[in-house]
Amino acid sequence: MKLRTISSCALLLSLAASTAHSQMYKPEPLPVRRSNLITELKALRAAKRDLNPVQFAEAANVILDKSGINFAASFDSATCERINKIKGERKDPNAPLLLGATLKSVDAEGASLALPEPVFPSGNCGCHVELPLLQATDKDFIALISGRNIKFHKPTNLNFYEAVLVDSKVRAAVKQKWLIPFRGKPIGVSHDENVLYLAFEDIELTDLSLMVFGEGVFQIGTRAEAEEGGTGVPVESPGTERIIKFERWGKSYVVKFQDRCH
């Protein structure tokens, strides 16, 4: 069965059913596994309920360093349409969809990857794959693949969700931008405006928060640290854009972000 391909100037994707075989020998692509961070954190909380929030965050960061976090990498609309079409053409709708990608690493040639199954959220949110990342910027990202940290150039047709800090009076003026792993609710901004705090959805992780730094790295902190100085107040906004305002340390911090896909 011939592999179906999707190509662009920046990212080459290949898709096939799980039974596809190539007649010519090709090296096996490196498998990209989703991060088990959330599952491991919930298991840690269940096993050690006596951990206080600070201890829990410290232990969580050890797991984060080894597992990364699932970062939603969104494809452009043309790529999503092509993937969706191929999904519909499969004889067995339950068969896994093999999604391959060739990405250029910063220190080497192009790498052939076998990506996780693409996700199609409802709510007209396009499609994405979840990559186990340790860092993400507009130019590159660091992924955990086969136990190695590999830095890749970010293709132009691969996008990450973002949140921005805007001027409290001139809201078109962006002061800081963060690339975030999922469409989550911001629950805090650091005093120096460099760190955005996001809430975890799972009830077992309510003591924790995800810290996203302006430089593209992230770590896990406590919920109390995120809410230092007061909780945010939602501001009425149109469409799917959401605005939340934090009044802290005598300053106003206004964050814009996209509503969560359901």
Side-chain angles (χ1 to χ4, degrees):
M1 178 177 178
K2 186 177 180 180
L3 295 179
R4 304 175 187 233
T5 62
I6 300 173
S7 62
S8 75
C9 60
L11 175 66
L12 176 65
L13 295 176
S14 61
L15 298 109
S18 59
T19 56
H21 294 280
S22 175
Q23 294 180 353
M24 296 179 63
Y25 171 78
K26 295 181 180 179
E28 287 294 323
L30 295 173
V32 181
R33 313 289 187 193
R34 288 190 178 95
S35 167
N36 290 321
L37 174 67
I38 301 301
T39 300
E40 293 185 58
L41 292 183
K42 290 164 70 173
L44 174 62
R45 170 49 82 198
K48 298 186 177 181
R49 297 187 180 278
D50 58 334
L51 289 178
N52 63 44
V54 173
Q55 293 170 328
F56 191 15
E58 290 174 349
N61 278 305
V62 174
I63 299 173
L64 175 64
D65 289 341
K66 295 179 179 179
S67 302
I69 189 169
N70 281 329
F71 222 93
S74 300
F75 297 120
D76 57 17
S77 58
T79 304
C80 288
E81 288 177 8
R82 182 62 176 148
I83 295 173
N84 208 22
K85 181 180 179 181
I86 292 175
K87 283 170 62 72
E89 292 175 348
R90 292 179 301 174
K91 293 182 179 179
D92 180 3
N94 297 317
L97 181 67
L98 298 185
L99 181 61
T102 299
L103 295 176
K104 185 178 180 182
S105 67
V106 173
D107 300 321
E109 298 297 327
S112 178
L113 307 176
L115 301 181
E117 182 90 6
V119 178
F120 282 79
S122 60
N124 194 29
C125 291
C127 69
H128 66 263
V129 291
E130 294 180 342
L131 306 178
L133 301 191
L134 292 170
Q135 182 177 340
T137 73
D138 283 329
K139 295 181 178 180
D140 49 47
F141 58 88
I142 298 177
L144 274 168
I145 300 175
S146 300
R148 294 183 292 161
N149 299 350
I150 304 178
K151 192 172 188 176
F152 293 101
H153 293 289
K154 179 179 173 292
T156 57
N157 64 337
L158 196 65
N159 300 303
F160 299 136
Y161 298 139
E162 64 179 46
V164 295
L165 178 72
V166 298
D167 187 278
S168 60
K169 296 180 180 179
V170 185
R171 292 184 179 172
V174 176
K175 302 173 68 178
Q176 178 65 281
K177 182 175 77 171
W178 300 278
L179 299 182
I180 58 179
F182 46 79
R183 291 189 178 193
K185 179 184 177 182
I187 54 174
V189 178
S190 64
H191 182 271
D192 64 359
E193 303 180 350
N194 189 49
V195 181
L196 180 72
Y197 296 85
L198 298 176
F200 286 103
E201 280 191 320
D202 304 87
I203 192 170
E204 299 94 332
L205 308 182
T206 53
D207 287 340
L208 303 179
S209 63
L210 181 66
M211 305 168 64
V212 184
F213 289 77
E215 297 84 1
V217 299
F218 34 90
Q219 65 183 60
I220 295 173
T222 66
R223 180 80 178 222
E225 181 181 1
E227 296 180 342
E228 182 182 358
T231 57
V233 177
V235 178
E236 186 175 347
S237 55
T240 59
E241 182 180 75
R242 293 292 178 261
I243 299 176
I244 190 165
K245 185 176 183 180
F246 301 92
E247 296 287 353
R248 298 178 166 185
W249 308 293
K251 297 173 59 178
S252 294
Y253 301 82
V254 179
V255 178
K256 289 185 179 182
F257 61 102
Q258 293 295 310
D259 199 8
R260 181 177 297 279
C261 289
H262 298 285

